[in-house]
Amino acid sequence: MPASLRRTDSFVDRHIGPDEAEIKAMLKVVGCGSVEELIDSTVPSRIRMSQPLRLPESKGEFELLQEIEAIAAKNQVFKSFIGLGYSDCITPAVIQRNVFENPGWYTQYTPYQSEISQGRLEALLTFQTMISDLTGLEIANASLLDEGTAAAEAMAMLRAMHGQGTSNVFFVSDACHPQTIEVVKTRAQPLGIQVAVGDHRSFNFRENVFGALLQYPCTDGALEDYSSFCQRAHERGALVAIAADLLSLTLLKSPGEMGADVAVGSAQRFGVSLGYGGPHPAYFATRAANARHMPGRIIGVSQDAQGKPALRMALQTREQHIRREKATSNICTAQVLLAIMASMYAVYHGPKGLRAIASRIHRLAEVLARGLTQLGFKLKHEQFFDTLRIETSSDEAEKIIERAQRARMNFRRVDRQSIGISLDETHGASEVAAIWEAFSPSGAARLSPQQLAAVVPEEFSGSLARRSPFLQHPVFNTHHSETEMLRYMHRLQSRDLSLADSMIPLGSCTMKLNATSEMLPVSWPAFARMHPFAPWAQAAGYQIIFKELEGALSEITGLPAVSLQPNAGAQGEYAGLLVIRKYHQSRHEDGRNICLIPSSAHGTNPASAVMAGYQVVVVACDEQGNVDIADLKAKAQQHQRKLAALMITYPSTHGVFETEIRQMCSVVHENGGQVYMDGANMNAQVGLCRPGDIGVDVCHLNLHKTFCIPHGGGGPGMGPIAVGPHLARYLPTHPLIPVGGSEGIGPVSSAPWGSASILPISWMYIRLMGAQGLTRATEVAIVNANYIAERLDPHYPVLFRGERGRVAHECIVDLRPLKRTAGIEVEDVAKRLMDYRFHAPTVSFPVAGTMMIEPTESESKAELDRFCDAMISIRDEIREIERGEAPRDNNVLKNAPHTARMVTSTEWPHPYTREKAAFPVEWLRAGKFWPSVARINNPLGDRNLVCTCPPVETYARAG
């Protein structure tokens, strides 16, 4: 096509930050004449791709949005009455526009740097308070992935609390959701836990039972008081978890009041779309005495350097530096953005509003039930919240479901002779009438929802009616007008630094552009309002997205089979390792349980390996940060009969392309093992080399890193796995939807395609970029990283380089000498960067006292220079300490970050000026980000664990 007729909305140039002139200028600093020369000196020639990626050409944003709109139209969104733990809901528009669709919220990173994360931390503390109040348990975490995996975490925690001993049976009520049962079974098997599924009404506790899981209400709607069950369990030394519907708890007796030790579930119906399965915020609550056993992130209250209340991740080191091979749970998993939405939903409606929503749903269910009874149908259960189980014949059930689908309604087929109907916030009298019509076309006309509603009690009553108060904190009783809600959320957002403010240069975390055009389809009803267990034929649009995305990921990795089910990167690691385990078992090599992991590996690697039933053996790294080949060979040979896998990150966690990667794979294969590649650094491989070509058997992909799903403040994420042909048959399955391999492992997530609604983001990115654009993005990521390395090396030595002196897409700079010369720790530099409007790079990983910097391809040269200038300016400030011009204990780094309150206070007890504290470089005057709190005292918060909203007077006194 002539150049004059080509479309002008090319996305590639908008995604990649530096233009050709800037790239040329950076290459000059790096010492290369071209991008090709730099890549040749960075990526080992023996692993380079021999031909370009075979992907469709890039499309413009306008054209591709039209294409995906046509694909979305192929989805048929019926009214859902399926239930099974998923309910449609109404997302308040003020929350959808100002949180879910707002880059100031969805481009934030995990709140490791608490001083510039206070808004998000407050929203998460509100979430924890909401969960704690509704469940009747003292402490809750800041979300998990979904209800099924939260239940599996509960099982693992209860066993750890009970002690390993001989008690290895976990009872699961057959009244639990079927997908939850199967996810629990998947988790239990490699841990040696026996799952006993049965009737909780007749179950007798034995000595070898350490815990139990119940559903409340039951999956078919039944309501039961579990108080006596919990008492019996405790008498026999067992512990109890209850998976509870959160909205029902505004009307029903709480799990804590029944004696439960743990409550788990989903907060999805608190304003989060169905999204064909996710992302959704799971919750986990327990008693205060169990806090240090609890999985996941916990937000706690501490104080800053000025004595002001401040929030941070409590017990933070277990999240940031996971206990590696000693772990029993992988806690690098959360749904922060969605938990924030759920907490804001509770803030907006307040306790009265939530109770009114729940009461209305229950009254609709009562009206529906009375009408069905008048039509001659029998209900299985007399007590219910929102779900009915209607008994009928097999033939009649089939006809009812067919009539319902003709009316664009989906019912649940509980079994051959019963139908389940679950009501939600979006339903009303017209839906009730339509259900009657589906059950009895001839009799429905004589029924009136309005007349029946007049005789239904307004309040839920009975022994299970809730008497205890909830959500009494002022935050839930203040912001009920849209004006107040808008201002409240904006105030929270202003306390957090996001990609909307500046570069976030975190190594191994790839905080790149999340383009608006990629994000738009996520909110479209055709994607957002589909139930995950809707009939396959109704999701034709989703199936197109899945098929094309799987094909693209397969081509990019060089591995032919893909599962999209794992809904986090660490979940992908876990799933991939289970696939390897199943492969060995199929070959009658059950004894292969050794997983080799380099000492430099991400903390999630050994945690995932332990969860998958492996024994971790650490492989040493040499002084250059590379895997010690001799040590790898020795340990592979030593454990030859038991070797299951090697977990390797490539490029390495030290930010270099190791030249001997093919040899590493060969060593493992020669000794009977499989090679698992952690795909966290795939950002440096796409279009240049492929895991499958190198010799890798399994690779997970962080779609929230390389493929542009936003981090969302620490979730959502997706971690699909790609596998070699010999492993395809073992990919994850699902009990309700036919997915996965013919001999697949059980489900690792509650929904068949994990967090399906965000998969269009990665589909959009790949199609917008095309093969050439994706390769160019990788090349520019490597250019940007090497540019930063060269600019900073004279001031902060680059710790690791490849054989030819290059880094990959990230580099590690060494700050350790500064402790000796100036008393400066790496944390001091991280906090001082906040004064320069920057989030710190990854701190003290994989080497303590260092920073790992990843600029990504999306940052312009101007932004890279601002970051480098800030780092160099901070180094000059450190030199002042080294020369004795500034004291070691009272300087701009030790006192950083500096808040507006500090700089404007009457007293100024520092030897440097206020101007130097707040405006160390001139360009900050054009746009200053003020941290809302000073440096936070983390140990104080851990010693005095407070993980729910403190009384509002606390903040008033501090102000």
XYZ file of all heavy atoms in Angstrom, residues 627-692:
502
model
N 23.971 -19.006 36.948
C 23.830 -20.320 37.579
C 25.160 -21.046 37.474
O 25.794 -21.081 36.420
C 22.725 -21.133 36.889
C 22.692 -22.561 37.412
C 21.363 -20.458 37.097
N 25.613 -21.595 38.578
C 26.862 -22.344 38.613
C 26.634 -23.698 37.929
O 25.998 -24.597 38.495
C 27.300 -22.532 40.070
C 28.680 -23.151 40.210
O 29.016 -24.025 39.377
O 29.404 -22.784 41.138
N 27.131 -23.833 36.699
C 26.877 -25.037 35.908
C 27.413 -26.285 36.603
O 26.772 -27.345 36.608
C 27.493 -24.907 34.501
C 26.881 -23.720 33.764
C 27.282 -26.187 33.703
C 25.417 -23.860 33.463
N 28.574 -26.164 37.204
C 29.157 -27.311 37.888
C 28.262 -27.765 39.036
O 28.048 -28.972 39.247
C 30.556 -26.970 38.396
N 27.725 -26.803 39.793
C 26.841 -27.145 40.903
C 25.539 -27.736 40.377
O 24.993 -28.683 40.962
C 26.567 -25.900 41.752
C 25.904 -26.243 43.076
O 26.419 -27.126 43.789
O 24.854 -25.649 43.390
N 25.030 -27.189 39.267
C 23.817 -27.735 38.669
C 24.031 -29.186 38.247
O 23.199 -30.065 38.528
C 23.395 -26.895 37.454
C 22.208 -27.429 36.647
C 20.948 -27.433 37.486
C 22.009 -26.616 35.375
N 25.154 -29.451 37.567
C 25.452 -30.819 37.135
C 25.561 -31.761 38.327
O 25.009 -32.879 38.320
C 26.750 -30.844 36.344
C 26.654 -30.251 34.942
C 28.003 -30.356 34.234
C 27.933 -29.822 32.812
N 29.250 -29.917 32.133
N 26.275 -31.305 39.346
C 26.495 -32.165 40.519
C 25.170 -32.519 41.195
O 24.937 -33.685 41.558
C 27.434 -31.466 41.494
N 24.291 -31.527 41.349
C 23.041 -31.775 42.062
C 22.046 -32.547 41.193
O 21.255 -33.353 41.707
C 22.467 -30.459 42.560
C 23.264 -29.952 43.771
C 22.860 -28.589 44.251
C 23.679 -28.242 45.510
N 23.566 -26.837 45.908
N 22.088 -32.308 39.871
C 21.228 -33.087 38.983
C 21.627 -34.561 39.008
O 20.766 -35.459 39.024
C 21.306 -32.539 37.563
N 22.928 -34.812 39.025
C 23.411 -36.197 39.071
C 23.177 -36.824 40.437
O 22.809 -37.993 40.552
C 24.883 -36.237 38.695
C 25.135 -35.899 37.232
C 26.603 -35.699 36.905
O 27.472 -35.812 37.779
N 26.898 -35.391 35.641
N 23.389 -36.023 41.491
C 23.176 -36.522 42.851
C 21.729 -36.985 43.059
O 21.471 -37.995 43.712
C 23.529 -35.426 43.861
C 23.264 -35.813 45.309
C 23.443 -34.629 46.258
O 23.928 -33.561 45.849
N 23.053 -34.812 47.503
N 20.778 -36.234 42.465
C 19.357 -36.523 42.663
C 18.736 -37.118 41.396
O 17.525 -36.986 41.180
C 18.617 -35.244 43.049
C 19.111 -34.608 44.308
N 18.860 -35.125 45.562
C 19.869 -33.495 44.507
C 19.417 -34.354 46.477
N 20.045 -33.360 45.873
N 19.562 -37.794 40.612
C 19.122 -38.255 39.295
C 17.824 -39.060 39.354
O 16.914 -38.849 38.559
C 20.223 -39.099 38.657
C 19.917 -39.535 37.229
C 21.052 -40.334 36.634
O 21.610 -41.217 37.290
N 21.417 -40.013 35.402
N 17.703 -39.970 40.297
C 16.522 -40.823 40.372
C 15.273 -40.071 40.855
O 14.152 -40.520 40.604
C 16.791 -42.016 41.296
C 17.830 -42.990 40.753
C 17.993 -44.181 41.684
N 18.937 -45.135 41.157
C 18.635 -46.088 40.261
N 17.393 -46.184 39.827
N 19.555 -46.922 39.819
N 15.506 -38.941 41.539
C 14.368 -38.215 42.105
C 14.171 -36.838 41.472
O 13.263 -36.109 41.851
C 14.570 -38.050 43.620
C 14.688 -39.377 44.368
C 14.857 -39.172 45.859
C 13.603 -38.637 46.494
N 13.715 -38.515 47.963
N 15.016 -36.519 40.483
C 14.933 -35.189 39.890
C 13.629 -35.029 39.105
O 13.341 -35.798 38.186
C 16.125 -34.936 38.967
C 16.142 -33.567 38.260
C 16.188 -32.433 39.270
C 17.311 -33.490 37.297
N 12.842 -34.007 39.454
C 11.585 -33.726 38.753
C 11.729 -32.542 37.814
O 11.283 -32.594 36.670
C 10.472 -33.456 39.751
N 12.351 -31.447 38.307
C 12.346 -30.226 37.500
C 13.447 -29.272 37.932
O 13.950 -29.330 39.063
C 10.992 -29.534 37.623
N 13.771 -28.407 37.006
C 14.566 -27.211 37.276
C 13.665 -26.018 37.022
O 13.003 -25.936 35.982
C 15.786 -27.133 36.350
C 16.501 -25.772 36.279
C 17.246 -25.480 37.579
C 17.446 -25.715 35.082
N 13.621 -25.065 37.961
C 12.932 -23.791 37.738
C 13.994 -22.741 37.438
O 14.891 -22.515 38.257
C 12.116 -23.384 38.960
C 10.918 -24.263 39.248
S 9.843 -23.560 40.532
C 8.889 -22.380 39.572
N 13.874 -22.107 36.302
C 14.880 -21.136 35.884
C 14.182 -19.881 35.364
O 13.135 -19.973 34.714
C 15.799 -21.741 34.794
C 16.964 -20.828 34.459
C 15.013 -22.100 33.548
C 18.082 -20.905 35.456
N 14.732 -18.727 35.679
C 14.243 -17.463 35.126
C 15.193 -17.021 34.036
O 16.411 -17.075 34.209
C 14.166 -16.387 36.224
O 13.298 -16.837 37.262
C 13.640 -15.077 35.664
N 14.617 -16.583 32.891
C 15.474 -16.186 31.779
C 14.884 -14.985 31.062
O 13.705 -15.001 30.740
C 15.661 -17.348 30.799
C 16.868 -17.198 29.891
C 18.143 -17.376 30.400
C 16.714 -16.865 28.561
C 19.249 -17.226 29.581
C 17.818 -16.717 27.741
C 19.089 -16.900 28.254
O 20.200 -16.750 27.458
N 15.692 -13.938 30.781
C 17.032 -13.718 31.305
C 17.041 -13.886 32.825
O 16.004 -13.819 33.459
C 17.361 -12.281 30.907
C 16.457 -11.983 29.760
C 15.210 -12.772 30.019
N 18.203 -14.065 33.381
C 18.305 -14.416 34.790
C 17.735 -13.317 35.675
O 17.553 -12.173 35.251
C 19.768 -14.663 35.176
O 20.454 -13.429 35.294
N 17.463 -13.671 36.900
C 16.995 -12.686 37.874
C 18.013 -11.582 38.072
O 17.689 -10.508 38.566
C 16.697 -13.393 39.214
O 15.909 -14.551 38.959
C 15.951 -12.485 40.159
N 19.267 -11.839 37.687
C 20.309 -10.817 37.789
C 20.349 -9.900 36.573
O 21.213 -9.038 36.472
C 21.676 -11.489 37.984
C 21.812 -12.158 39.321
N 22.361 -13.408 39.478
C 21.454 -11.755 40.566
C 22.351 -13.736 40.765
N 21.804 -12.751 41.438
N 19.414 -10.105 35.638
C 19.289 -9.182 34.524
C 20.252 -9.407 33.382
O 20.606 -8.448 32.686
N 20.675 -10.654 33.151
C 21.574 -10.945 32.035
C 21.105 -12.205 31.310
O 20.445 -13.073 31.894
C 23.043 -11.141 32.488
C 23.588 -9.863 33.119
C 23.153 -12.300 33.469
N 21.446 -12.276 30.022
C 21.217 -13.491 29.247
C 22.373 -14.451 29.503
O 23.497 -14.216 29.052
C 21.157 -13.166 27.750
C 19.858 -12.575 27.294
C 19.681 -11.196 27.251
C 18.808 -13.390 26.891
C 18.493 -10.645 26.811
C 17.607 -12.845 26.446
C 17.442 -11.468 26.410
N 22.105 -15.512 30.249
C 23.156 -16.491 30.496
C 23.408 -17.304 29.218
O 22.462 -17.801 28.596
C 22.749 -17.410 31.646
C 22.568 -16.658 32.966
C 22.295 -17.578 34.127
O 23.109 -18.494 34.344
O 21.282 -17.389 34.811
N 24.663 -17.439 28.855
C 25.003 -18.087 27.584
C 24.815 -19.594 27.608
O 24.687 -20.227 26.563
C 26.458 -17.761 27.199
O 27.325 -18.200 28.243
C 26.643 -16.266 26.982
N 24.810 -20.189 28.795
C 24.761 -21.644 28.883
C 23.364 -22.185 29.160
O 23.199 -23.275 29.705
C 25.725 -22.128 29.974
C 27.160 -21.698 29.772
C 27.712 -22.160 28.423
O 27.364 -23.283 27.989
O 28.460 -21.389 27.795
N 22.343 -21.437 28.780
C 20.984 -21.861 29.099
C 20.632 -23.186 28.422
O 19.975 -24.056 29.014
C 19.966 -20.756 28.716
C 18.541 -21.170 29.089
C 20.071 -20.383 27.248
C 18.296 -21.350 30.559
N 21.081 -23.386 27.174
C 20.798 -24.665 26.507
C 21.449 -25.829 27.251
O 20.871 -26.912 27.397
C 21.310 -24.635 25.070
C 20.426 -23.861 24.094
C 20.962 -24.036 22.674
N 20.211 -23.267 21.709
C 19.094 -23.683 21.103
N 18.603 -24.864 21.416
N 18.494 -22.917 20.217
N 22.652 -25.611 27.736
C 23.349 -26.666 28.472
C 22.610 -26.992 29.760
O 22.510 -28.162 30.156
C 24.791 -26.246 28.771
C 25.611 -27.342 29.442
C 27.025 -26.901 29.788
O 27.412 -25.762 29.526
N 27.790 -27.802 30.371
N 22.096 -25.970 30.437
C 21.340 -26.209 31.664
C 20.140 -27.114 31.383
O 19.867 -28.073 32.127
C 20.845 -24.887 32.251
C 21.922 -23.938 32.720
S 21.137 -22.429 33.372
C 22.404 -21.214 32.994
N 19.428 -26.810 30.295
C 18.275 -27.636 29.940
C 18.707 -29.068 29.646
O 18.044 -30.031 30.070
C 17.553 -27.029 28.732
S 16.820 -25.402 29.027
N 19.793 -29.208 28.936
C 20.277 -30.553 28.587
C 20.651 -31.351 29.825
O 20.354 -32.554 29.930
C 21.484 -30.453 27.652
O 21.125 -29.868 26.419
N 21.320 -30.704 30.776
C 21.720 -31.377 32.014
C 20.498 -31.945 32.732
O 20.488 -33.095 33.195
C 22.489 -30.410 32.933
C 22.618 -30.990 34.348
C 23.857 -30.093 32.359
N 19.455 -31.149 32.804
C 18.241 -31.585 33.504
C 17.572 -32.723 32.743
O 17.164 -33.735 33.327
C 17.282 -30.391 33.687
C 15.957 -30.855 34.284
C 17.922 -29.340 34.590
N 17.457 -32.586 31.424
C 16.822 -33.631 30.630
C 17.601 -34.940 30.693
O 17.009 -36.030 30.770
C 16.688 -33.171 29.176
C 15.654 -32.097 28.988
N 15.760 -31.114 28.032
C 14.504 -31.839 29.655
C 14.715 -30.324 28.104
N 13.940 -30.732 29.077
N 18.918 -34.853 30.670
C 19.746 -36.059 30.730
C 19.560 -36.815 32.035
O 19.798 -38.020 32.106
C 21.219 -35.686 30.552
C 21.572 -35.245 29.137
C 22.918 -34.549 29.069
O 23.592 -34.471 30.139
O 23.282 -34.052 27.996
N 19.119 -36.081 33.063
C 18.923 -36.714 34.366
C 17.444 -36.946 34.677
O 17.078 -37.168 35.827
C 19.572 -35.865 35.460
C 21.089 -35.942 35.411
O 21.685 -36.894 35.905
N 21.724 -34.953 34.793
N 16.618 -36.922 33.620
C 15.223 -37.325 33.766
C 14.266 -36.243 34.191
O 13.081 -36.533 34.411
N 14.724 -35.007 34.317
C 13.857 -33.935 34.775
C 13.269 -33.115 33.637
O 13.603 -33.295 32.464
N 12.392 -32.210 33.994
C 11.793 -31.265 33.064
C 12.251 -29.855 33.430
O 12.624 -29.586 34.583
C 10.271 -31.343 33.133
C 9.715 -32.688 32.689
C 9.695 -32.818 31.184
O 8.860 -32.248 30.492
N 10.632 -33.602 30.648
N 12.209 -28.943 32.453
C 12.663 -27.567 32.679
C 11.465 -26.639 32.702
O 10.689 -26.583 31.745
C 13.661 -27.114 31.599
C 14.074 -25.658 31.845
C 14.880 -28.022 31.606
N 11.343 -25.931 33.806
C 10.285 -24.922 33.971
C 10.919 -23.543 33.894
O 11.859 -23.243 34.638
C 9.588 -25.084 35.329
C 8.493 -24.066 35.525
C 7.176 -24.394 35.267
C 8.785 -22.763 35.907
C 6.168 -23.456 35.397
C 7.800 -21.814 36.033
C 6.490 -22.160 35.774
O 5.498 -21.219 35.887
N 10.414 -22.691 33.007
C 10.929 -21.327 32.923
C 9.935 -20.356 33.535
O 8.761 -20.326 33.151
C 11.212 -20.918 31.470
C 11.752 -19.485 31.358
S 12.180 -19.006 29.671
C 13.728 -19.899 29.491
N 10.392 -19.574 34.489
C 9.620 -18.469 35.046
C 9.581 -17.370 33.987
O 10.614 -16.838 33.589
C 10.294 -17.980 36.331
C 9.517 -16.869 37.026
O 8.958 -16.008 36.336
O 9.489 -16.857 38.268
N 8.395 -17.044 33.519
C 8.259 -16.083 32.426
C 8.237 -14.631 32.839
O 7.845 -13.770 32.045
N 8.669 -14.320 34.070
C 8.632 -12.928 34.524
C 9.450 -12.008 33.630
O 9.136 -10.829 33.497
C 9.135 -12.845 35.968
N 10.514 -12.534 33.032
C 11.387 -11.703 32.205
C 11.169 -11.937 30.711
O 12.059 -11.687 29.899
C 12.849 -11.955 32.579
C 13.180 -11.422 33.965
O 12.422 -10.635 34.533
N 14.281 -11.865 34.527
N 9.985 -12.386 30.351
C 9.671 -12.605 28.937
C 9.741 -11.301 28.148
O 9.888 -11.313 26.921
C 8.278 -13.223 28.826
C 7.990 -13.870 27.493
S 8.979 -15.360 27.247
C 8.752 -15.583 25.482
N 9.658 -10.185 28.839
C 9.749 -8.875 28.186
C 11.041 -8.712 27.399
O 11.115 -7.884 26.491
C 9.648 -7.778 29.256
C 9.201 -6.455 28.694
O 8.306 -6.412 27.856
N 9.802 -5.370 29.141
N 12.062 -9.493 27.730
C 13.343 -9.405 27.018
C 13.490 -10.487 25.958
O 14.517 -10.541 25.274
C 14.495 -9.511 28.016
N 12.503 -11.361 25.825
C 12.614 -12.476 24.875
C 11.730 -12.328 23.649
O 12.088 -12.807 22.568
C 12.242 -13.788 25.565
C 13.261 -14.312 26.552
C 12.980 -15.764 26.897
O 12.997 -16.633 26.041
N 12.694 -16.018 28.169
N 10.565 -11.706 23.775
C 9.565 -11.734 22.714
C 10.155 -11.277 21.377
O 10.650 -10.163 21.238
C 8.351 -10.859 23.079
C 7.325 -10.881 21.944
C 7.721 -11.346 24.378
N 10.117 -12.158 20.400
C 10.610 -11.850 19.062
C 12.085 -12.082 18.852
O 12.569 -12.056 17.714
N 12.839 -12.306 19.937
C 14.289 -12.526 19.823
C 14.660 -13.985 20.068
O 15.535 -14.533 19.395
C 15.047 -11.626 20.810
C 14.847 -10.112 20.654
C 15.686 -9.364 21.692
C 15.198 -9.656 19.242
N 14.031 -14.610 21.038
C 14.275 -16.023 21.326
C 13.020 -16.600 21.948
O 12.142 -15.861 22.395
C 15.491 -16.205 22.240
S 15.378 -15.334 23.824
N 12.919 -17.918 21.975
C 11.709 -18.571 22.468
C 12.067 -19.695 23.435
O 12.965 -20.506 23.147
C 10.889 -19.139 21.317
C 10.544 -18.123 20.239
C 9.459 -18.628 19.303
N 9.778 -19.886 18.640
C 8.940 -20.548 17.831
N 7.725 -20.053 17.632
N 9.313 -21.668 17.255
N 11.373 -19.769 24.566
C 11.654 -20.819 25.545
C 11.636 -22.219 24.944
O 12.502 -23.045 25.241
C 10.533 -20.638 26.576
C 10.184 -19.191 26.486
C 10.342 -18.829 25.045
N 10.647 -22.496 24.083
C 10.560 -23.832 23.505
C 11.752 -24.185 22.651
O 12.194 -25.340 22.624
